[in-house]
């Protein structure tokens, strides 16, 4: 098999519009990264999950791709000794956590705590896919997502499968 000499390929010789086919990158390669930020908040007393104002949309290039999602925000209880739960949804109907979500906080009155998510999903689609943060209050209390208008972020990364 013929091979190029090591000095035959340099950065200066590679065209600025050159691309490597995703099939050549291999399993585990990051194919695309999409991020979104929001300073919006939400207040609810719902004991069912309610969509918070933080989501990201990604369109996988292959049905075998995995999507790694990270998100950070703040949650806050307006009652003493009560739970607030948060989770990540794919679309509007697929909770990627369980019945109580991916995390929660048992809060003293007006305590602000981080809500952090890291999840690897296998959507098996090449259609546009939205991932969103959802929160709920246990026991009918008032809970808030991002009550002080911090900049919250969510990022989706397509990983070659």
């Amino acid at each position: 098999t013929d091979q190029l000499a090591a000095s035959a390929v340099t950065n200066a010789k590679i065209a600025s519009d050159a691309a490597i086919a995703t099939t050549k990158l291999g399993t585990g390669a990051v194919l695309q990264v999409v991020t979104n930020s929001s300073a919006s908040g939400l207040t609810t007393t719902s004991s069912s999950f309610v969509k918070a104002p933080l989501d990201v949309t990604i369109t996988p290039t292959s049905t075998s791709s995995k999507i790694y999602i990270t998100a950070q925000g703040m949650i806050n209880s307006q009652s003493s000794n009560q739970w607030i739960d948060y989770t990540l949804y794919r679309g509007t109907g697929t909770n990627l956590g369980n019945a109580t979500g991916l995390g929660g906080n048992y809060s003293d009155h007006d305590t602000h705590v981080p809500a952090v998510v890291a999840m690897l999903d296998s959507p098996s689609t090449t259609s546009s896919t939205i991932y969103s943060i959802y929160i709920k209050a246990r026991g009918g209390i008032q809970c808030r997502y991002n009550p002080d208008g911090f900049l919250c972020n969510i990022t989706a990364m397509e990983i070659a499968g």
Side-chain angles (χ1 to χ4, degrees):
T1 304
D2 293 337
Q3 293 186 0
L4 293 172
S7 62
V9 179
T10 64
N11 286 338
K13 293 178 183 177
I14 298 173
S16 63
D17 62 347
I20 298 172
T22 56
T23 56
K24 300 290 184 189
L25 293 175
T27 301
V30 176
L31 304 178
Q32 62 173 311
V33 178
V34 182
T35 192
N36 190 24
S37 299
S38 174
S40 298
L42 167 75
T43 299
T44 186
T45 57
S46 177
S47 60
S48 298
F49 280 114
V50 176
K51 185 182 177 306
L54 186 64
D55 55 50
V56 65
T57 301
I58 191 166
T59 304
T61 59
S62 171
T63 57
S64 65
S65 291
K66 308 271 190 242
I67 306 297
Y68 182 68
I69 308 100
T70 62
Q72 62 81 24
M74 297 293 283
I75 54 176
N76 163 251
S77 169
Q78 290 296 287
S79 299
S80 293
N81 305 319
Q82 295 292 327
W83 277 97
I84 305 168
D85 299 316
Y86 60 91
T87 195
L88 183 69
Y89 270 68
R90 179 187 340 114
T92 57
T94 304
N95 179 353
L96 298 179
N98 61 21
T100 54
L102 292 171
N105 180 56
Y106 186 73
S107 179
D108 195 2
H109 182 72
D110 205 26
T111 301
H112 295 68
V113 296
V116 179
V117 171
M119 172 66 67
L120 186 64
D121 186 34
S122 301
S124 300
T125 186
T126 56
S127 297
S128 178
T129 304
I130 188 167
Y131 292 94
S132 307
I133 297 296
Y134 279 65
I135 67 167
K136 72 175 180 177
R138 292 192 203 172
I141 63 160
Q142 183 182 75
C143 68
R144 303 182 301 171
Y145 177 83
N146 198 27
D148 297 315
F150 296 111
L151 188 62
C152 300
N153 301 290
I154 187 168
T155 300
M157 294 177 262
E158 181 183 7
I159 310 297

